[in-house]
Amino acid sequence: MLTKKEQLYEGKAKKVFSTEDPEKYIVSYKDDATAFNGLKKGTILGKGAINNRVSNFLMRMLETKGIPTHYVEELNPRETVVRKVSIVPLEVIVRNIAAGSLSKRLGLPEGVKMKKTVLEYCYKNDELGDPMVNEYHILAMEFCTKEELDLIAEYSLKINEILSAYLKQCNIELIDFKLEFGKTSDGQIILADEISPETCRFWDSNTNEKLDKDRFRRDLGGVEDAYKEILRRLLGE
Ligand code: 5GP
């Protein structure tokens, strides 16, 4: 079994460690919560373990449906072995229903169904506040190649179809979510980062109750319970 060697990085929600295998890292999820580019800080008890387990569960499912991911092995509730990648500096946002920044930007009330799935790209850069970019910016800045971007878009839309259908069975509406992709040392584009209540908007299909990080961002209370509810509906615990 691989073990943690040197800490390579500490982000807002995770730490990343090297291992005995140069092609593998160990990710360790924290309970620290931040929002609005670090302006709002807090702790969500049990969040790290829930996000780790939910994300691993969803990545394993996506793998069975042909989406390559960085997931290798869950070591314990908080820690996972992942493939080493260099992250493509893009946040890929997929939207089915208007909410959050799209509602603000376009004046669409939250909850309005989009006639077509919306794909957005943001440049992953905290100092700049993750500005939205289009395909021209991405290619001009050489964040990735045209072929890689086409594959990222194709994977993102397929992930949306797979997750939306699965979550519906759990009585959860997938409103929108953020994905990140990385490139392996042999040039393969794979899904990286996490898919969890941290990175997705999940609404209860019947009541529209928010079961995700918006409870923390908007001070709605019941944050821990919402994360636990997602774990329960997805993994039956
Ligand atoms: P919005 O642009 O409406 O704020 O976010 C759209 C979706 O992407 C939401 O599901 C949100 O959780 C996710 N998202 C966008 N940017 C980030 C980010 O920097 N961190 C996290 N955790 N999620 C993000």
Side-chain angles (χ1 to χ4, degrees), residues 91 93 95 99-102 105 120 130 176-178 198-201 213 217:
E91 295 192 341
I93 314 246
R95 301 183 185 269
S101 68
L102 178 129
R105 208 177 328 117
E120 294 171 354
D130 299 340
D176 57 30
F177 57 102
K178 182 231 356 158
E198 195 81 359
T199 59
C200 304
R201 286 196 171 95
K213 194 174 173 184
R217 295 187 186 104

Coordinates of all heavy atoms in Angstrom, one line a residue, residues 91 93 95 99-102 105 120 130 176-178 198-201 213 217, ligand 1:
E91 N -11.6 25.9 -14.8 CA -12.8 25.3 -14.2 C -13.8 25.2 -15.2 O -14.2 26.2 -15.9 CB -13.2 26.2 -13.0 CG -12.2 26.4 -11.9 CD -12.7 27.1 -10.7 OE1 -13.7 27.8 -10.8 OE2 -12.1 26.9 -9.7
I93 N -17.6 24.6 -16.0 CA -18.8 24.7 -15.3 C -19.9 24.2 -16.2 O -20.0 24.6 -17.4 CB -19.2 26.1 -14.9 CG1 -17.9 26.7 -14.2 CG2 -20.4 26.2 -14.0 CD1 -17.9 27.1 -12.8
R95 N -24.1 23.6 -16.6 CA -25.3 24.1 -16.0 C -26.6 23.5 -16.7 O -26.7 23.7 -17.9 CB -25.4 25.6 -16.1 CG -24.2 26.3 -15.4 CD -24.4 27.8 -15.5 NE -23.3 28.6 -15.0 CZ -23.2 29.0 -13.7 NH1 -24.1 28.7 -12.8 NH2 -22.1 29.6 -13.3
A99 N -28.7 29.2 -11.8 CA -28.5 29.5 -10.3 C -27.2 30.3 -10.2 O -26.5 30.5 -11.3 CB -28.3 28.1 -9.6
G100 N -26.9 30.7 -9.0 CA -25.6 31.3 -8.7 C -25.2 32.5 -9.7 O -26.0 33.3 -10.0
S101 N -23.9 32.4 -10.2 CA -23.4 33.5 -10.9 C -24.1 33.7 -12.3 O -24.2 34.8 -12.8 CB -21.9 33.4 -11.1 OG -21.6 32.3 -12.0
L102 N -24.6 32.6 -12.8 CA -25.3 32.7 -14.1 C -26.6 33.5 -13.9 O -27.0 34.4 -14.8 CB -25.7 31.3 -14.7 CG -26.4 31.4 -16.0 CD1 -25.8 30.6 -17.1 CD2 -27.9 30.9 -15.8
R105 N -25.6 37.1 -13.6 CA -25.1 37.7 -14.9 C -26.2 37.9 -15.9 O -26.2 38.9 -16.6 CB -24.0 36.7 -15.4 CG -22.9 37.4 -16.3 CD -21.9 36.4 -16.7 NE -21.6 35.3 -15.8 CZ -21.9 34.0 -16.1 NH1 -22.4 33.6 -17.3 NH2 -21.6 33.0 -15.2
E120 N -19.4 26.5 -19.4 CA -18.6 27.7 -19.3 C -17.2 27.3 -18.8 O -17.0 26.3 -18.2 CB -19.2 28.6 -18.1 CG -20.6 29.1 -18.4 CD -21.2 29.8 -17.2 OE1 -20.6 29.7 -16.1 OE2 -22.2 30.4 -17.3
D130 N -10.7 33.8 -10.7 CA -11.2 32.8 -11.7 C -12.1 33.4 -12.8 O -13.3 33.1 -12.9 CB -12.0 31.7 -10.9 CG -11.2 30.9 -9.9 OD1 -10.0 31.0 -10.0 OD2 -11.8 30.3 -9.0
D176 N -26.1 22.4 -11.3 CA -24.8 22.8 -12.0 C -23.6 22.2 -11.2 O -23.8 21.7 -10.1 CB -24.7 24.3 -12.2 CG -24.7 25.1 -10.8 OD1 -24.3 24.5 -9.8 OD2 -25.2 26.2 -10.8
F177 N -22.5 22.2 -11.9 CA -21.3 21.7 -11.2 C -20.0 22.2 -11.9 O -20.1 22.7 -13.0 CB -21.3 20.2 -11.1 CG -21.4 19.4 -12.4 CD1 -20.3 18.9 -13.0 CD2 -22.6 19.3 -13.0 CE1 -20.4 18.2 -14.2 CE2 -22.8 18.6 -14.2 CZ -21.6 18.1 -14.8
K178 N -18.9 22.0 -11.1 CA -17.6 22.4 -11.7 C -16.7 21.2 -11.8 O -16.7 20.3 -10.9 CB -17.0 23.4 -10.7 CG -15.7 23.9 -11.1 CD -14.5 23.9 -10.2 CE -14.5 23.4 -8.8 NZ -13.2 23.0 -8.4
E198 N -19.4 20.0 -2.5 CA -18.6 21.2 -2.5 C -18.5 21.8 -3.9 O -18.3 23.0 -4.1 CB -17.1 20.7 -2.2 CG -16.1 21.7 -1.8 CD -16.3 22.1 -0.4 OE1 -17.2 21.6 0.3 OE2 -15.5 22.9 0.0
T199 N -18.7 21.0 -4.9 CA -18.4 21.5 -6.3 C -19.7 21.4 -7.2 O -19.6 21.7 -8.4 CB -17.3 20.6 -7.0 OG1 -17.8 19.3 -7.0 CG2 -16.0 20.8 -6.2
C200 N -20.8 20.9 -6.6 CA -22.0 20.8 -7.4 C -23.2 21.5 -6.6 O -23.1 21.6 -5.4 CB -22.5 19.3 -7.4 SG -21.3 18.2 -8.1
R201 N -24.2 21.9 -7.4 CA -25.4 22.3 -6.7 C -26.4 21.1 -6.8 O -26.7 20.6 -7.9 CB -26.1 23.5 -7.3 CG -25.3 24.8 -7.0 CD -26.1 26.1 -7.3 NE -25.5 27.2 -6.7 CZ -24.6 28.0 -7.4 NH1 -24.4 27.8 -8.7 NH2 -24.0 29.0 -6.8
K213 N -23.0 23.1 -0.9 CA -22.2 24.2 -0.3 C -22.9 25.5 -0.2 O -22.5 26.4 0.5 CB -20.9 24.3 -1.0 CG -19.8 25.1 -0.3 CD -18.5 25.1 -1.0 CE -17.6 26.0 -0.3 NZ -16.3 26.1 -1.0
R217 N -22.3 29.0 1.9 CA -22.1 30.3 1.2 C -23.1 31.3 1.7 O -22.8 32.4 1.9 CB -22.1 30.1 -0.3 CG -21.0 29.3 -0.9 CD -21.1 29.3 -2.4 NE -20.2 28.4 -3.1 CZ -20.6 27.3 -3.7 NH1 -21.9 26.9 -3.7 NH2 -19.7 26.5 -4.3
Ligands
5GP1 P1 -21.3 29.7 -9.8 O1 -20.6 30.2 -11.0 O2 -22.8 29.8 -10.0 O3 -20.9 30.4 -8.6 O4 -21.0 28.2 -9.6 C1 -21.4 27.2 -10.6 C2 -21.1 25.8 -10.1 O5 -19.7 25.6 -10.1 C3 -21.6 25.6 -8.6 O6 -22.1 24.2 -8.5 C4 -20.3 25.7 -7.8 O7 -20.4 24.9 -6.7 C5 -19.2 25.3 -8.7 N1 -18.0 26.2 -8.6 C6 -17.7 27.2 -9.4 N2 -16.5 27.7 -9.0 C7 -16.1 27.0 -7.9 C8 -15.0 27.0 -7.0 O8 -14.1 27.8 -7.2 N3 -15.0 26.1 -6.0 C9 -16.0 25.2 -5.8 N4 -15.9 24.4 -4.8 N5 -17.0 25.1 -6.7 C10 -17.1 26.0 -7.7

